[in-house]
């Protein structure tokens, strides 16, 4: 199985901050990576796929980059609605696997 | 627009059986892949398996193979996740999710079904 490791597990930030979350794969996954946002008590919501393609309707302050084994999700200017957990997911091979998650908290 | 609506929360005892459902109100159920994802309390997301209702082709994560059964009834556009004998460790939120048409990420999710297994 491909292991996905996210860092940090928790991040404290303020509104307006630039935030970066890292996701590392245990082997190369090319650009077959998705990012999701999950708010408490809600289902995950797709933000980005193919490492850097923004899902329709997702604000442009979200961006993704990377290929191979190292990926990042960046929020250019954190908004109150962005305090949530974020997960990466590889889809290069089964079983599909998710990172352990990053919780973005209010500083 | 794809909308997945899941059955309600369940409280069960260890050893009991359970079948939860995910109804797809979209128009392309038989050409969509529907997955199940587990989230244990306070933990991350785990892919359990996926089914293609068009021909019932089903794939399981090795971690869940033999522990659960995924099925679908295309006549009522509904996918299912079932257990024959629940354990306390099955306590979790379970989500169904639609795989995108082209790649294996998930672009639409159900609201989740909470399963609590306790004696």
């Amino acid at each position: 199985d491909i292991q996905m490791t996210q860092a940090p597990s928790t991040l404290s930030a303020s509104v307006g901050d630039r935030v970066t979350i890292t996701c590392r794969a245990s082997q190369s996954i090319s650009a077959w990576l998705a990012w999701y946002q999950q708010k408490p008590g809600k289902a995950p919501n797709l933000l980005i796929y193919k490492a850097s393609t923004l899902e329709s309707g997702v604000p442009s302050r979200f961006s993704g980059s990377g290929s191979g084994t190292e990926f990042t999700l960046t929020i250019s200017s954190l908004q109150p609605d962005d305090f949530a957990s974020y997960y990466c997911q590889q889809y290069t091979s089964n079983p599909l696997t998710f990172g352990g998650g990053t919780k973005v908290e209010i500083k | 627009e794809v909308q997945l609506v899941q059955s309600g929360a369940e409280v069960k005892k260890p050893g009991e059986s359970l079948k939860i459902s995910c109804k797809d109100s979209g128009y392309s159920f038989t050409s969509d892949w529907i997955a199940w994802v587990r989230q244990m309390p306070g933990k991350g997301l785990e892919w359990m398996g996926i089914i293609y209702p068009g021909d019932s082709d089903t794939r399981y994560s090795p971690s869940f193979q033999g522990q659960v059964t995924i099925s679908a009834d295309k006549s009522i556009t509904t996918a299912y996740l079932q257990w024959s004998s629940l354990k306390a460790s099955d306590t979790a939120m379970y989500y169904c999710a639609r795989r995108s048409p082209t790649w294996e990420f998930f672009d639409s999710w159900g609201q989740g079904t909470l399963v609590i297994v306790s004696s």
Side-chain angles (χ1 to χ4, degrees), chain B residues 86-103:
Chain B
L86 286 159
K87 302 184 280 287
S89 57
D90 293 318
T91 294
M93 182 70 83
Y94 294 88
Y95 294 101
C96 63
R98 189 193 80 139
R99 200 203 84 164
S100 88
T102 47
W103 292 304

Side-chain angles (χ1 to χ4, degrees), chain A residues 32 36 38 42-43 89 91, chain B residues 39 45 95 103-104 106 110:
Chain A
W32 305 122
Y36 301 87
Q38 186 180 32
K42 299 294 186 182
Q89 178 229 324
Y91 53 96
Chain B
Q39 187 167 38
L45 304 168
Y95 294 101
W103 292 304
E104 290 204 77
F106 305 108

Side-chain angles (χ1 to χ4, degrees), chain B residues 67-84:
Chain B
Q67 308 304 308
V68 296
T69 302
I70 294 171
S71 61
D73 184 339
K74 59 186 178 183
S75 69
I76 55 171
T77 64
T78 300
Y80 300 97
L81 177 66
Q82 68 180 91
W83 295 260
S84 59

Side-chain angles (χ1 to χ4, degrees), chain A residues 7-28:
Chain A
S9 56
T10 306
L11 186 160
S12 296
S14 301
V15 172
D17 284 353
R18 180 181 181 87
V19 166
T20 298
I21 298 168
T22 298
C23 177
R24 181 175 290 113
S26 61
Q27 64 189 74
S28 177

Side-chain angles (χ1 to χ4, degrees), chain B residues 28 31 47 57 112 118:
Chain B
S28 58
S31 59
W47 178 76
D57 184 8
S118 175

Side-chain angles (χ1 to χ4, degrees), chain A residues 23-97:
Chain A
C23 177
R24 181 175 290 113
S26 61
Q27 64 189 74
S28 177
I29 59 169
S30 185
W32 305 122
L33 185 96
W35 289 97
Y36 301 87
Q37 178 192 66
Q38 186 180 32
K39 295 180 180 178
K42 299 294 186 182
N45 183 53
L46 177 67
L47 296 175
I48 286 168
Y49 59 92
K50 208 177 179 188
S52 61
T53 302
L54 209 62
E55 172 71 344
S56 176
V58 173
S60 59
R61 63 181 178 271
F62 291 92
S63 64
S65 65
S67 66
T69 61
E70 296 277 340
F71 301 87
T72 58
L73 172 70
T74 299
I75 309 172
S76 60
S77 178
L78 198 65
Q79 298 302 300
D81 193 47
D82 302 337
F83 291 96
S85 293
Y86 295 84
Y87 294 91
C88 60
Q89 178 229 324
Q90 66 80 18
Y91 53 96
T92 194
S93 67
N94 285 346
L96 307 179
T97 46

